[in-house]
Amino acid sequence: NVDGMGAKAEVDGNPVLLGNRRLMEEAGVDWRTMESDVERMQGGGRTVIHVALGGRLIGLLAVADAVRATSKAAVAALRERGVEVAMLTGDNRATAQRVADELGVDTVLADVLPGEKAQEIQKLQQRGRKVGMVGDGINDAPALTQADVGFAIGAGTDVAMESADVVLMKSDPQDVVGAISLSAATLRKMHQNLWWAAGYNVLAFPVAAGVFYPLTISPEVAAISMSGSTLLVAANALLLKRQRLEGIR
């Protein structure tokens, strides 16, 4: 494996290369003999793999990623929440742009080597962005760590799951929307409970201290009221179970 470029092997004593243009250039293989075919294939939104034998280009393989059925809806839901969606990929720009146009992705960062993904995340952060990274591979681990929030796909590699803050149990992009919805709902409950607890104590303490005498609270009533406040906070938190999470089916 040649990181971010392809693979190389030896067959019957002859060196064989499979990979992108960078791999061919580093090995001194003249890839221009099929340049027109490469441009035609990439123009169709496919990723082109060069095949070289004995230092000579002998063929091309074109592959295209199939977009998940829920990806477009997930991107639309994120954009509705004000989230800018970016694609960070090692594929060529033509292929990446085809997928981005199909899904409605805002920003395309293409031709990125695996070791450069974390650097691209850092550049976005330096521009004042809060970045959430979704990945599943070994090469995504540094970027997942660098991001403000890392989302790992449950079906991905162990190192990706160890590097992420959130692990999605299914390989469904909609779960990213659901995780954000759950986080927002949890934060709302925290704010509600904080305001209730603070408001209760602001009102109850002066009464219990006799500030409004002859209006006072007996110890028994005070104890029951405190327990009731705790129960209300707990019950409000448990209402999260009734929260309908966007994107979760």
Side-chain angles (χ1 to χ4, degrees):
N1 177 62
V2 183
D3 198 23
M5 297 186 190
K8 60 183 179 181
E10 187 173 297
V11 179
D12 296 331
N14 297 311
V16 178
L17 299 173
L18 290 91
N20 57 22
R21 186 177 298 178
R22 292 181 184 179
L23 181 63
M24 299 298 118
E25 289 176 345
E26 285 200 358
V29 176
D30 185 9
W31 53 268
R32 293 181 178 82
T33 55
M34 297 185 183
E35 185 174 7
S36 59
D37 294 310
V38 172
E39 292 178 353
R40 175 176 54 82
M41 292 175 177
Q42 288 182 342
R46 294 183 289 271
T47 298
V48 178
I49 302 172
H50 300 69
V51 183
L53 174 64
R56 183 174 65 88
L57 187 66
I58 62 171
L60 303 169
L61 300 173
V63 296
D65 289 329
V67 176
R68 292 184 182 274
T70 58
S71 296
K72 189 171 184 177
V75 171
L78 288 170
R79 295 183 67 180
E80 285 179 5
R81 299 182 69 90
V83 178
E84 179 183 347
V85 182
M87 178 187 298
L88 183 62
T89 177
D91 287 338
N92 64 78
R93 176 156 293 277
T95 300
Q97 194 62 56
R98 174 187 67 83
V99 177
D101 291 342
E102 182 178 347
L103 299 180
V105 173
D106 303 298
T107 304
V108 178
L109 303 172
D111 295 312
V112 180
L113 292 175
E116 298 173 350
K117 288 185 176 182
Q119 297 173 15
E120 293 295 334
I121 297 291
Q122 192 172 26
K123 289 178 183 177
L124 292 172
Q125 291 171 327
Q126 290 171 350
R127 288 157 54 187
R129 306 290 181 85
K130 294 292 184 182
V131 182
M133 167 73 182
V134 184
D136 62 354
I138 295 175
N139 296 326
D140 293 328
L144 289 169
T145 302
Q146 177 64 42
D148 295 283
V149 180
F151 296 87
I153 303 297
T157 59
D158 290 340
V159 67
M161 288 188 283
E162 288 292 333
S163 303
D165 302 292
V166 180
V167 178
L168 307 175
M169 301 311 295
K170 296 182 295 182
S171 301
D172 189 343
Q174 285 276 41
D175 286 353
V176 177
V177 185
I180 295 174
S181 298
L182 178 58
S183 299
T186 302
L187 191 59
R188 282 197 302 272
K189 289 297 179 185
M190 291 169 63
H191 289 163
Q192 291 168 6
N193 288 341
L194 179 62
W195 280 109
W196 164 254
Y200 169 83
N201 287 308
V202 166
L203 292 174
F205 274 137
V207 176
V211 174
F212 301 110
Y213 182 83
L215 176 62
T216 59
I217 300 177
S218 66
E220 296 85 357
V221 174
I224 293 173
S225 298
M226 182 56 72
S227 299
S229 174
T230 303
L231 287 174
L232 282 174
V233 169
N236 189 39
L238 288 173
L239 289 176
L240 271 174
K241 296 175 67 175
R242 301 179 61 183
Q243 177 72 32
R244 185 179 181 275
L245 299 181
E246 184 180 358
I248 300 296
R249 294 170 297 172

